Every structure is written in C-alpha cells, then in structure tokens.
Amino acid sequence: MPHSALVVVANRLPIDEAVLESGAREWRRSPGGLVSALRPILQGDGTSWIGWAGSTGPAPDLPDIDGVALRAVPQSQEEFENYYEGFANSTIWPLYHDAVEQPTFHRRWWEAYQRINRRFAAAAAEAAPPGALVWVQDYHLQLVPAMLRELRPDLRIGFFMHIPFPPPELFKQIPRRADLLRGLLGADLVGFQVPGGARNFVRLIERVLGLRTRHNEIEVDGRVVHVGAFPISVDVGELEELARSEEVRAQAAQIRADLGNPDRILLGVDRLDYTKGIEHRLKAYRELLADGRVKVPNTVLVQVAVPSRERVEHYKALREKVEREVGGINGEYGRLGVPAVHYLNCSYNRAELAALYLAADVMVVTPLRDGMNLVAKEYVACRHDNGGALVLSEFAGAAHELKQAYLVNPHDLDDLKDSLVGALEADPSDTARRMRAMRRYLRTHDVTAWARAYLSALEFPVGL
Ligand code: F6P
C-alpha cells in the first residue's frame, strides 16, 4: 500500500540541517509531521520527496532518508520573498484563515508563485516513474496539479490542503481565483481537513468556473475529480511511547518542580501566529487573575511561542503585542521569582514537548481558525495517564473529532474564561472520562490511518 510508486511534493523537505560538535553539518530527518505519517508507506522503489531544503540559493545534494530519495527545489532570495513570504503567507494564509488579518496582494508575488509552482511541477514530472502516484501538499503549491498533468498525463495526482479552505464569499476576494481553482482541478483527488472545506471547494467550482458537480465529484475535460475530507492526525504510538519513557516522565516532574509545584499548570504551545488566538488566551487569563478566579502561584500559565515567518509584517506585530501583554500580566500579577506567565519564545524537541504535555493540567488551544491543530491531538496522544484537560477552540479542525474537549468560542471572552475555570476545577473522574474517550478515538485515527485513507481513495476512488 500504495501499489504504485509514490512521489510527495511539499514546500519543505522533511529534513533539518544539524551542526555537529565538530562543526560539520549533517542532514537529519525532521521529527513528527507528514514524514512520520508516510514512513511506513513511503518505502519501495521510485519513492521520492520533492521540496525546498530551507535556505535560498542553489539546491544542495541530499542523502536518501529511510529509502526515500530527496530532491531539493531551489529558490532565490527574491523568489522566497515573493512566493513564500508574499503570495503564500501574506495573501493566501490570512485569506484562508477567515481574513483574521488583512490579506495583501501584489502582482509580482503572483508571478513568483506561478514560477515556483512550475519549478515544483517540473521536478515532480522528472522524478515520477510511469504511472506513479504524486501527492501534492498544501497551499503553497495549488497550481502544481494542473501544471503536472500537462507535463505527465500518465500520473495519478492527489492534492491535500492542510489549512482551512474558505467559503466562497471570502475566497472570491482573491485575485487570480479562477487560476487557483483550475490548478487544483488538475488533481484526481482534492482532499481537505473537514467536510466544510470540501463543500466550499465544490461550491466555488460551480460559481466561479461554472462546471457541473455531483456530490463530491466534478467533471472537467472529460475527467472526474473527486473531493473529500481526510482529517490529518499524529503518530499516536510514537508519542505515547515517548511520553511513557522514564526520561520524559522525570522531565515532566522536573518541570513542575521548576515552576514551584503549583496546583495547576495551564499550557499553550503554538507557532507564534496570529491565527492561534494567543492574545485572546492571554486576555482571558489576565481577567481571571483580575477577577481573583485564579491566583498566582497556585496557578501559572506556560506559553511556548515558536518563532515563525519572522520577517512577515503581521508576525512582527503579533510578537510585539504578545510580549507586551505577557510583560503587563507579569508586572501586575507576578511575584519575585514567580511569574504569572512563563513565556518561551523558542522551539522544543519532541521529548521536551511530551514532558510539557505531561506536566500540564489544562492544555489551552484557542485558534481563531485552524485547519486541524496537531498540538491538541499530540496532547491527547501523550496523556497515557488519562490526566489533564483539553480546552479547544471550536474553530480548529480538531474540534470535529475531539468532541469530549472543553469546546470554546475564543472570541467570546466570558465563554473562554468559564471554560478555563471549568477545566481547572473539573472533577478528575470527569476529565479522565473525557480523555479516555478522545484517546480511544485517536488510537484508530492516527496519522498512518489518515495517509492510508487518502492514498487508497486516490488509487481507487470508490464510494467517496
Ligand atoms: O499548517 C500549515 C503549515 O505549512 C505546516 O505544514 C507547517 O508545519 C506550518 O504551517 C509552518 O510552516 P512554515 O514554517 O513552512 O511556514
């Protein structure tokens, strides 16, 4: 499974460059994410992954990882600014996330987006053996399916959108909207995180392109394009094993001790992105402190904010706002040696994250819009003790599945505050019942199940 050779096309390659003690550099497989999902599947001849190696300039030569050939697609600094920072992350990203920040558009960004998409399509066309499955990932590469089909009509092409796909009223604002839709229609199967995204896509195809659709099928150029929802997940087994390890359990106890053994620890783990609702969460926490409903040092908040897209304006502005708010809360409610918010602007490895998850009593996931939100699923996967409670925004894709979480509307501050207090004060038998149910669900809906479901639908699109 799958029966044909597989080529994955994604903006990033699944590798990181590590600097060894000797100063030498080495490429290592990135932990987690898509690559661990595909590891059991991505074996065999002709399997390759096409993507960007993470720095501008000529493409480096890369080793195979776990039998998968890596092919780097180069981009210049100017292309990176116009394609990645520009069209992908300043036009599409905000627009597809409900325009929670104003999307901007420049024609030179669109030109770079087309150019880089064409480069990815050419690399895939060159790498794919006859009749291979090619799986294109995410919003950076929406034009690739049609470009690739033109070069290689023998291939079976899939596309999966990791981020939300907006309703027609929003999508229609985007300049070059018809080109984007036609790009996606080059695929045989267009997958989304939730059924709403799939429905939005079908409605847009009818309204913007005037094509005939039937349920989740679209007829185009004598072909049928299938559309469906395939909620992505995490490597539940790997995370659970990690969280059960002696080392991680000791680290979790150490974290609690380092925080002064408070009664309750609230935890947020996010990329520092304006879609994640970090400001809303901080505001709710500040009001709870002001109302005296939570008190330092009995309760503390740990907020991990992983730096992301740091040169993009909205991200710079967000960092300033978040850090000002954290400073304000600590100034007002912290004590000597006991801050109210422990703010960590860095990334953590898998083991450190698992320890934080185990240490946290309440995991706070409050995006204003999110395709899925894997942090919520990682938290549940790590809680082998059935401890902890998950407060989850109903605007995260994960809320469709993790129904036993404390679901909140992060825009409604009072709702958010009540849910936080509800989760903090809940009877342990109630939180354990909720956690058990979510864990039972995730065990059968892990990332490998996701990849298998998608790839079988791509190979044999029956009964979608
Ligand atoms: O959620 C979409 C996504 O592209 C993920 O695949 C990725 O982990 C994250 O956003 C950050 O992406 P990047 O650092 O490549 O902009």
Side-chain angles (χ1 to χ4, degrees):
M1 160 76 246
H3 297 99
S4 324
L6 178 64
V7 176
V8 175
V9 187
N11 180 53
R12 282 186 193 271
L13 285 166
I15 45 164
D16 299 310
E17 198 174 17
V19 183
L20 307 178
E21 267 177 32
S22 63
R25 288 170 174 271
E26 186 180 271
W27 293 103
R28 297 207 178 133
R29 182 172 75 83
S30 327
L34 198 55
V35 70
S36 33
L38 295 174
R39 212 147 41 121
I41 292 165
L42 271 179
Q43 318 249 310
D45 290 346
T47 302
S48 51
W49 189 304
I50 288 158
W52 178 54
S55 57
T56 54
D61 273 337
L62 298 168
D64 289 6
I65 52 157
D66 301 337
V68 178
L70 302 182
R71 289 166 193 253
V73 178
Q75 51 185 293
S76 67
Q77 180 61 26
E78 194 189 344
E79 288 169 337
F80 171 76
E81 284 165 19
N82 292 326
Y83 148 77
Y84 172 82
E85 295 184 328
F87 196 74
N89 285 316
S90 301
T91 308
I92 298 176
W93 180 272
L95 193 103
Y96 283 24
H97 286 88
D98 283 0
V100 293
E101 285 290 359
Q102 180 67 37
T104 36
F105 178 75
H106 295 290
R107 277 164 284 189
R108 65 174 190 286
W109 291 357
W110 169 247
E111 278 153 26
Y113 187 79
Q114 285 175 295
R115 190 172 341 125
I116 299 290
N117 271 248
R118 201 165 294 119
R119 200 171 293 159
F120 272 84
E126 204 184 296
L133 296 183
V134 179
W135 194 4
V136 184
Q137 310 287 327
D138 227 354
Y139 64 103
H140 314 86
L141 302 175
Q142 294 172 88
L143 304 178
V144 168
M147 290 172 169
L148 181 58
R149 180 166 297 283
E150 222 177 294
L151 296 168
R152 291 287 306 274
D154 61 299
L155 300 173
R156 192 128 187 102
I157 303 169
F159 180 92
F160 184 75
M161 183 71 83
H162 290 251
I163 68 172
F165 195 74
E169 296 69 25
L170 254 179
F171 183 91
K172 282 169 80 179
Q173 290 180 14
I174 205 163
R176 313 294 186 269
R177 59 199 186 189
D179 294 302
L180 286 169
L181 294 174
R182 274 194 220 101
L184 292 169
L185 282 183
D188 295 292
L189 173 62
V190 185
F192 296 91
Q193 299 277 24
V194 293
R199 270 197 303 276
N200 289 342
F201 180 66
V202 173
R203 279 160 63 205
L204 274 159
I205 294 298
E206 289 165 354
R207 292 193 201 172
V208 176
L209 300 183
L211 292 177
R212 278 188 38 206
T213 68
R214 195 166 6 100
H215 306 297
N216 280 355
E217 292 178 7
I218 300 160
E219 279 182 40
V220 56
D221 303 334
R223 298 184 295 120
V224 175
V225 177
H226 295 265
V227 182
F230 301 86
I232 198 170
S233 191
V234 295
D235 191 335
V236 178
E238 185 197 59
L239 284 166
E240 177 161 350
E241 196 185 315
L242 189 63
R244 279 185 191 280
S245 72
E246 200 70 37
E247 185 203 334
V248 164
R249 290 194 334 214
Q251 215 175 333
Q254 188 61 48
I255 290 170
R256 290 199 78 99
D258 290 346
L259 292 171
N261 282 318
D263 296 337
R264 286 277 176 267
I265 298 171
L266 295 157
L267 173 66
V269 174
D270 309 84
R271 272 186 317 101
L272 191 42
D273 193 300
Y274 51 82
T275 60
K276 301 293 182 185
I278 301 172
E279 293 164 278
H280 297 64
R281 185 183 314 165
L282 289 173
K283 188 147 197 241
Y285 181 58
R286 183 179 205 147
E287 285 197 11
L288 288 174
L289 289 166
D291 301 343
R293 292 171 80 188
V294 301
K295 290 194 173 65
V296 179
N298 314 42
T299 303
V300 293
L301 168 65
V302 176
Q303 176 64 55
V304 175
V306 179
S308 183
R309 305 173 191 162
E310 288 177 285
R311 290 158 26 111
V312 175
E313 274 320 312
H314 288 317
Y315 290 78
K316 284 189 203 158
L318 174 75
R319 181 167 176 180
E320 272 169 31
K321 280 189 272 180
V322 165
E323 295 188 351
R324 199 176 317 125
E325 182 66 6
V326 168
I329 298 175
N330 282 338
E332 209 163 325
Y333 299 101
R335 305 226 209 116
L336 214 53
V338 192
V341 185
H342 295 256
Y343 174 75
L344 305 154
N345 182 227
C346 53
S347 44
Y348 282 84
N349 67 34
R350 311 282 293 159
E352 288 164 335
L353 280 178
L356 277 167
Y357 293 145
L358 272 190
D361 299 290
V362 177
M363 183 79 215
V364 196
V365 183
T366 53
L368 308 177
R369 177 60 71 194
D370 210 332
M372 177 52 61
N373 197 291
L374 294 181
V375 164
K377 290 189 172 179
E378 284 173 5
Y379 181 67
V380 172
C382 284
R383 294 311 304 238
H384 53 82
D385 57 351
N386 292 322
L390 174 65
V391 172
L392 177 61
S393 162
E394 56 191 66
F395 301 111
H400 291 251
E401 299 169 275
L402 302 179
K403 299 200 169 90
Q404 294 80 9
Y406 291 81
L407 294 176
V408 286
N409 172 5
H411 298 279
D412 182 342
L413 215 56
D414 292 328
D415 180 37
L416 180 49
K417 286 164 65 183
D418 290 344
S419 298
L420 288 173
V421 171
L424 282 166
E425 293 179 354
D427 188 309
S429 66
D430 180 42
T431 52
R433 182 187 53 77
R434 289 170 183 252
M435 191 55 77
R436 250 194 311 272
M438 293 190 283
R439 290 177 54 73
R440 203 176 310 123
Y441 174 86
L442 273 195
R443 226 168 275 138
T444 51
H445 294 80
D446 68 355
V447 74
T448 306
W450 166 77
R452 282 185 203 283
Y454 183 91
L455 289 171
S456 358
L458 177 59
E459 259 190 322
F460 313 107
V462 256
L464 256 184

